[in-house]
Every structure is written in structure tokens, then in C-alpha cells.
Amino acid sequence: MEMTNVSLKRGCLVVEDNDGVASQEETKKQKVSECCLINSQDGVEHEGLHSSENEPGPPEAGSTKKEEKNCSAHVREEEEEEEEEEGLPETGEEEEPESFADMMKHGLTELDVGITKFVSPHEGFSGILKERYSDFVVHEIGKDGRISHLDDLSVPVDEEDPPEDALTVLTAEDRQQLEELQLFKNKETNVAIEVIEDTKEKRTIIHQAIKSLFPGLETKTEDREGRKYIVAYHAAGKKALAKVRTAADPRKHSWPKSRGSYCHFVLYKENKDTMDAINVLSKYLRVKPNIFSYMGTKDKRAITVQEIAVLKISAQRLAHLNKCLMNFKLGNFSYQKTPLKLGELQGNHFTVVLRNITGTEEQVQQAMQSLKETGFINYYGMQRFGTTAVPTYQVGRAILQNAWTEVMDLILKPRSGAEKGYLVKCREEWAKTKDPASALKKLPVKRCVEGQLLRGLSKYGMKNIVSAFGIIPRNNRLMYIHSYQSYVWNNMVSKRVEDYGLKPVPGDLVLKGATATYIEEDDVNNYSIHDVVMPLPGFDVIYPKHKISEAYREMLTADNLDIDNMRHTIRDYSLSGAYRKIIIRPQNVSWEVIAYDDPKIPLFNTDVDNLEGKPPPVFASEGKYRALKMDFSLPPSTYATMAIREVLKMDTSIKKQTQLNTNWLR
């Protein structure tokens, strides 16, 4: 989920982080709108602050004028529809930095969520992260260890594919009429398309286009008053159409048996999160989003490259989108027998530019050498805990306490911090009336957590908050209690580092396979700090055999929770717990300091730049500004912000970074 969308004129700290190991129970992804202020449990960091820049996407290489016209009309139509569905009014106004900084005075700092320690003794320095979204590039590392790159736009040759012209021959009006016919949305029994250029080849292409793009429709050629028409009609009734349109078998009647059922491709996207990207692709292809699969979600404010699989959509149809969609590129197509699964990735490779750094060469060298050799504390990043004065871990704690009135109150009450205006009005209405139906009317976006809870309260009544809360998608509900687990873990790992430093001690935990075991006195020298894990609280974990164990107990007792009984009366909220390494050492670490004069120029080439043959940027030895370009790979469920925090020795919270950026602007 994407956090509240508030602009800042220059400078943005919050970054996308590594894809976590997604919950094994996560079988269903549901898009939730921007007003929800929590992030997913899989360790992916989400947007807390968006830049006001409007950077251009990759050019529409190879488009003909006709294609551009048809595509752009269709894309505009899709985007308008999406905006209307989401109900996100565009004010066209941008928050002033001072105004935003003022709102964020009530936001969380790292101290609030237990992030207090560093690994290296080096002196920190300042820098601006994500001044442009193109300063942050993520390449997925697949299960085979290869880094995903978009470096091939060619389409596998397949004789059974329709010719390329089949995808561009229909006008936007033709497409709309055929879609309405396909979905039984009009009273007509057929759609007739006049063949202007009456040749057999032209007619064949139109026949193929209709059958390829609109499964369930058949076509025939008719003469009407001396003119030739291709007539599309339903081959069978609604039952046959429903069968054709299922996610399990959307193209059964036309998919070659010799070909793998899944088309795998590499998706390059700019400034779009993964679910938004898939929603755009599915709308354009006229299929349901659930026929797409992927190994991990990628966030919005970045350039990201990842592998996607889609069921029974040809590479040819997918490649056609390159001529129509801005900020996307699809390539490296192949047909496979299996989809992709969440959590299968090995991690992500990051290329990050920190602009306008103040550190000396020596400071940078010390910081990066420490990151490479020792690593960073594997804290859960700030995005795990929300951006307003009501942290998500507080909601999670109330759920675990069975304090349902407090859960309702925490989610719906007015709070300080940066939020969209309509959400503020909704909260004010709730505080004034305690009427869920009345508060719901203030929300144009009904799919956010607040909207879903209000809908649940309208349906089940104020005395059945548990059922009302249950309307919220399961994964989003679990995010709250996972946020509480993360809060406990952060605090406990800070205490562990405070009390015992960066070396293993007897009573620490290490993993042997998936099983946690204690380090014994005579075994200490066989381990390093990189082997030590700490538990997230739950009923299926063990705790260290030293004073940190008592610290866990004290913290949960103070929160009115029983560490010996983490099973909840509602099974969904029973915490089994897990183990997490306390120190992560990034792989493939490299860096360089770049001198530059123009803050708007890109400082490295993207995959699309390389595909287009752009030469890499050349820099002078002296410049007005200096930037640190970092490359590193992280395993799943780790936060890139925490690696960057270790380098800069700066608080990564939006509250602190907004103050720094505001001062920089002045």
C-alpha cells in the first residue's frame, strides 16, 4: 500500500526498499487506495513523501501516428476511468515545504520506534535522497541469483500469433463497441465494422484482431448495400463467455498447446508501484489483474525492474504496449509452464544517488567501507509504522489486547500530520457524529482502511466492531500486528546492541536450517555477529538466554500482553513469531563520488537509456555539487533506508528529513 501523497518541492527521503519474504498465507493481493497509511508486512518500504517533479517517461519508440492516436485515446480513457474509480481528486496544488514541515511536527522519529544504534563509529554527513525518483533504481534478483535487466525488446517468433497489424487495426470506437458486446453491456446482438480497404489481407487482419482481443466473439464477412462489413457476434451464450473469461483459462480456445501457458517478461517502470502497474496493464489488455504473478512488490517513487508472469497473453500483445504506455517498458519475453510466486526472489540490487553530500572523501570512504565489511543493523524502516501521529503499531497493540473500541478509535479519530483533505473531513465528521454512514459520505475513496471500516460499522453496527474490522482485507489487517512485532523487535535489537555490542555472546540465538538454537559458552568463537538472530514475539519462538529475554517480557507486560500466550481468541491475530538477523552485510557494494553542476541531470544510465544507445554521462573533476552513487544488493525483508541511514548517520523519518530539506531550500 502506498502512504499519504504529499508533495515537497525538492528533496525526498523516503525510499523503496527490498521485497520481503511475503507471508505464505498471502494468497490474494488487493489494491488499497492512497489514504491508507500503513505498509505491507513483507518488508517493502512505501512512499511517504512525493516530489513535485514531473519527469518524462521513456519515449514511445516506433509508434506510428495512427498507433499513437489510438493508443493515447485508449490510455486516456483508461486513466480517466481509474481516477474516477479511485475518486482521487486532483487539486493541482502543491504543499509548501514549510506547511508540510509544520504538519510533520507530530510525525514519528526513529527514536519513537526503537531505531537508536549504529554499527560504525565514522562521522556522519548529510545528503539528499531521492531528489529525483530516477536517483533510486531497483533491479530484482531472481531465484537463480541473476539480476533482472531490461535489455531485449524482441518478441519470440511464433507462427500462431496474429500479425502485428492485428493489434492496431481497430479504432478506439471499434474497441469500445466490441468490449460492450463481449460483456453483454448493450442490446445489440452484433457489431459491424466496415472494411474500407477491401482486400482479403485486410479482412483477415481484422478477423484476427477481434478474435485475439475479444475472446468469446466470432466473426464473419457480410455484403451490405455494396459495402463489405466484418460482423462480430457471440459464438455462444453467457455461460460459454464466462468460461472463456475465468482467470484459470482466459484464452483456452486460441492458445497453442505446444507453448507454455505463461508469458514471463521483465517490467521496467517509472514512478508506479507494482499493483498500480498491473492494474494499468490488465485494463489495457482487458483481463483481470489476478492472471499476473510476481515474486515481490516494488514501490512507486523509483525506477524498478522486475520479472512478471501472465497467463495466456502472448508476447506480441504485451510488446505492443511499449508503443502506447508512458513510464513502462516490457521485454525479455519467454514462454514458461509455471507462474511466479511471492517470496521466490533472492533480493534486490539497488543503485542509489545521494545528492549534494557534505562528507569529505575520507568520511565517504570510511562509511562505505564499513557498510561493505560490517553492514548495518537490520531495523524495520520508518515506513513500517505510518506517517501520522497515530502509529500503526498502536493499532496492532490494541488488536492483540482485544481492545476493539480502541482499534476503531485509533483508525478513525482525527490526528495531526499530513493527510488528504477529504480524509481530514471524514475524521472530523466521525468525531462529531460517531455516525459511520455520515462519515463515509465524506470519503470519495471507499477502499481505504478508514472507508472499509466505516462500511463495516454501517453493516454490522457499533457493537460488533470485530466483524466491521473484518471487512478490511486480511493482509491489511495483519499489517497492524506485524507493525507491532516490528516495533518490539527494533527496541529489543537496540537493547541487545547496547548491552552486548557487535559480537556474539552465550545465550544469543542462531539458526540451523529453520530452527533456532542457543550459542553455548564454548561455541561462541564459531559464530560472528552476522549469524545472530532475534525473535519477533509469538507463540512459536524461543527467546535469548540472557537479560534481553527479560526485556522482551517487560515490554510486552507493559503493553498488557502475555508473552507466554501469544495466541489470540481470533485465529487470524495469533502471532507465531519469526526470527530476523540483527546485522545485514550488503553484497556487491561499490560506490563513487560524482561532481556535477546541474541538479536536474541524471547521474547514471537506466536500462532504457542503454537500450536506446545513450552514452553514459561524463562528469567534470570539479562541480558545484557532489553526489554519492552507491550500488549494493540486499536479501529479502531488509530495508534499503536502514543501509543508507548507516552511511549518513541521519534520522530517516519524514519528520526529520522534512526539516532538513526545508532548511536546505531556504
Side-chain angles (χ1 to χ4, degrees):
M1 286 164 44
E2 184 179 298
M3 287 204 243
T4 187
N5 181 13
V6 183
S7 296
L8 184 66
K9 283 192 175 177
R10 187 192 299 272
C12 176
L13 173 98
V14 180
V15 307
E16 170 186 313
D17 276 284
N18 210 6
D19 297 280
V21 178
S23 166
Q24 296 304 311
E25 302 158 328
E26 186 173 1
T27 55
K28 190 175 178 184
K29 281 282 180 186
Q30 182 152 346
K31 184 179 175 188
V32 181
S33 80
E34 291 178 342
C35 68
C36 306
L37 298 178
I38 55 178
N39 83 304
S40 71
Q41 70 267 34
D42 60 3
V44 182
E45 290 192 23
H46 292 274
E47 211 58 49
L49 187 60
H50 295 179
S51 166
S52 61
E53 290 178 292
N54 185 17
E55 298 185 46
E60 302 179 39
S63 295
T64 64
K65 291 293 181 188
K66 181 180 177 183
E67 284 169 346
E68 286 175 357
K69 185 178 178 183
N70 286 345
C71 289
S72 60
H74 182 78
V75 173
R76 276 199 308 274
E77 168 194 318
E78 296 292 0
E79 286 174 348
E80 284 165 11
E81 181 185 332
E82 189 171 27
E83 276 185 21
E84 186 179 355
E85 278 184 6
E86 292 186 356
L88 298 174
E90 292 296 329
T91 62
E93 295 177 3
E94 189 178 274
E95 295 288 346
E96 289 297 318
E98 291 79 7
S99 151
F100 183 76
D102 192 53
M103 286 192 289
M104 288 313 302
K105 282 177 184 174
H106 304 279
L108 294 173
T109 64
E110 290 181 347
L111 186 63
D112 296 325
V113 294
I115 301 173
T116 60
K117 300 295 178 185
F118 293 98
V119 167
S120 167
H122 77 267
E123 186 182 344
F125 53 92
S126 68
I128 300 176
L129 177 59
K130 277 195 167 185
E131 184 172 351
R132 302 167 66 82
Y133 69 73
S134 53
D135 285 348
F136 198 89
V137 177
V138 188
H139 287 90
E140 191 171 70
I141 305 172
K143 52 188 173 182
D144 58 0
R146 284 189 302 110
I147 297 176
S148 292
H149 280 280
L150 183 78
D151 53 20
D152 182 5
L153 299 182
S154 65
V155 177
V157 176
D158 194 322
E159 292 178 1
E160 301 200 54
D161 276 336
E164 175 70 17
D165 291 353
L167 300 172
T168 58
V169 72
L170 299 172
T171 66
E173 186 180 356
D174 292 338
R175 285 170 180 259
Q176 185 174 349
Q177 289 179 342
L178 289 163
E179 183 174 21
E180 288 173 355
L181 175 67
Q182 182 195 34
L183 301 178
F184 294 99
K185 283 187 176 178
N186 58 22
K187 295 178 182 177
E188 304 298 325
T189 57
N190 61 61
V191 169
I193 297 171
E194 185 178 359
V195 185
I196 306 298
E197 304 167 31
D198 184 19
T199 64
K200 186 175 181 181
E201 290 77 12
K202 184 71 171 179
R203 293 199 302 273
T204 300
I205 289 171
I206 296 175
H207 283 295
Q208 288 174 324
I210 294 171
K211 290 177 182 179
S212 171
L213 296 173
F214 302 96
L217 297 185
E218 291 296 332
T219 57
K220 59 185 178 182
T221 304
E222 285 187 3
D223 278 311
R224 296 183 182 179
E225 300 176 357
R227 295 180 179 179
K228 275 213 166 42
Y229 290 84
I230 289 174
V231 180
Y233 60 95
H234 277 294
K238 292 187 180 182
K239 286 184 181 177
L241 177 66
K243 180 171 173 37
V244 167
R245 284 177 56 79
T246 60
D249 195 6
R251 298 287 181 275
K252 185 174 179 180
H253 67 289
S254 61
W255 194 259
K257 291 180 181 177
S258 60
R259 189 157 75 187
S261 295
Y262 295 88
C263 184
H264 287 223
F265 62 95
V266 169
L267 173 66
Y268 167 104
K269 62 181 183 61
E270 299 186 354
N271 218 20
K272 278 268 186 195
D273 69 33
T274 300
M275 280 311 299
D276 280 344
I278 283 175
N279 283 328
V280 169
L281 298 180
S282 61
K283 281 185 176 184
Y284 196 85
L285 294 165
R286 291 185 168 84
V287 295
K288 292 181 179 178
N290 63 354
I291 70 169
F292 290 87
S293 58
Y294 45 88
M295 294 182 287
T297 56
K298 302 285 181 288
D299 199 15
K300 177 175 179 176
R301 193 173 163 75
I303 292 174
T304 68
V305 182
Q306 70 183 118
E307 190 175 350
I308 305 283
V310 60
L311 180 64
K312 294 187 177 179
I313 300 289
S314 70
Q316 188 183 39
R317 285 187 66 193
L318 293 166
H320 177 66
L321 301 182
N322 287 333
K323 299 176 180 176
C324 308
L325 298 177
M326 293 290 284
N327 299 343
F328 292 91
K329 275 282 188 258
L330 289 67
N332 297 79
F333 302 102
S334 66
Y335 292 109
Q336 309 286 342
K337 292 180 180 177
T338 55
L340 295 169
K341 292 180 182 176
L342 280 166
E344 281 186 328
L345 76 171
Q346 278 194 21
N348 287 298
H349 185 78
F350 296 86
T351 303
V352 178
V353 167
L354 303 175
R355 290 187 184 244
N356 200 30
I357 61 166
T358 60
T360 64
E361 292 284 346
E362 186 181 2
Q363 284 176 313
V364 171
Q365 180 71 18
Q366 285 177 349
M368 294 306 300
Q369 204 64 43
S370 172
L371 183 69
K372 182 177 183 177
E373 293 172 3
T374 309
F376 62 96
I377 300 174
N378 193 19
Y379 287 121
Y380 287 95
M382 294 303 298
Q383 293 79 352
R384 190 83 162 177
F385 307 104
T387 57
T388 63
V390 179
T392 52
Y393 72 79
Q394 288 185 7
V395 180
R397 180 169 55 202
I399 293 169
L400 295 171
Q401 292 168 341
N402 253 327
W404 291 100
T405 301
E406 187 181 353
V407 170
M408 175 182 71
D409 223 34
L410 285 168
I411 293 174
L412 295 177
K413 72 179 182 181
R415 77 266 307 264
S416 304
E419 288 199 301
K420 285 185 176 292
Y422 55 76
L423 198 52
V424 173
K425 289 175 183 172
C426 168
R427 295 190 192 287
E428 289 171 350
E429 183 67 21
W430 171 255
K432 188 169 67 179
T433 66
K434 287 292 189 285
D435 178 357
S438 177
L440 195 59
K441 287 178 183 174
K442 301 289 184 182
L443 274 185
V445 182
K446 302 295 192 276
R447 286 178 292 178
C448 63
V449 166
E450 291 81 358
Q452 288 161 331
L453 178 55
L454 289 168
R455 195 160 51 85
L457 292 169
S458 297
K459 182 175 181 179
Y460 294 109
M462 300 283 282
K463 292 184 179 178
N464 196 351
I465 299 170
V466 174
S467 296
F469 185 71
I471 276 189
I472 298 168
R474 182 173 181 276
N475 291 324
N476 302 335
R477 286 181 276 128
L478 295 184
M479 288 172 202
Y480 288 116
I481 57 175
H482 292 154
S483 175
Y484 178 73
Q485 282 181 302
S486 305
Y487 170 70
V488 172
W489 193 91
N490 278 1
N491 279 278
M492 291 300 98
V493 82
S494 288
K495 184 159 181 57
R496 161 64 184 75
V497 172
E498 170 78 26
D499 290 354
Y500 297 109
L502 295 172
K503 61 184 189 301
V505 297
D508 273 336
L509 294 168
V510 291
L511 289 179
K512 291 186 177 176
T515 307
T517 61
Y518 295 108
I519 298 180
E520 303 298 341
E521 183 83 50
D522 56 359
D523 219 14
V524 167
N525 293 333
N526 294 331
Y527 297 102
S528 80
I529 192 65
H530 298 98
D531 299 313
V532 179
V533 298
M534 295 263 287
L536 286 95
F539 60 77
D540 198 24
V541 294
I542 60 174
Y543 294 88
K545 268 187 184 172
H546 45 54
K547 58 185 178 183
I548 301 304
S549 179
E550 191 54 37
Y552 272 95
R553 184 175 295 276
E554 288 172 3
M555 186 170 184
L556 267 68
T557 301
D559 286 340
N560 294 318
L561 296 171
D562 182 358
I563 197 169
D564 299 314
N565 182 19
M566 297 301 288
R567 293 186 187 274
H568 198 280
T569 51
I570 300 168
R571 188 177 174 185
D572 264 2
Y573 310 134
S574 288
L575 292 177
S576 61
Y579 299 99
R580 180 177 176 87
K581 286 195 171 184
I582 68 173
I583 301 289
I584 290 291
R585 186 163 42 198
Q587 300 299 303
N588 308 314
V589 178
S590 64
W591 67 93
E592 64 176 313
V593 175
I594 297 167
Y596 66 104
D597 289 309
D598 183 351
K600 293 184 178 179
I601 61 166
L603 301 183
F604 60 91
N605 272 7
T606 65
D607 284 3
V608 167
D609 292 334
N610 293 332
L611 273 170
E612 293 172 352
K614 286 187 182 175
V618 178
F619 305 105
S621 56
E622 297 292 327
K624 189 176 178 184
Y625 309 107
R626 292 160 65 246
L628 171 59
K629 177 175 171 276
M630 311 163 57
D631 275 272
F632 55 91
S633 299
L634 292 178
S637 195
T638 53
Y639 283 71
T641 2
M642 294 297 101
I644 294 160
R645 167 187 181 269
E646 179 67 38
V647 170
L648 294 177
K649 294 284 185 77
M650 289 170 69
D651 187 323
T652 61
S653 65
I654 301 173
K655 176 178 179 177
K656 290 292 184 185
Q657 289 300 319
T658 305
Q659 292 167 1
L660 287 171
N661 288 336
T662 302
N663 291 337
W664 183 81
L665 278 172
R666 286 176 181 148

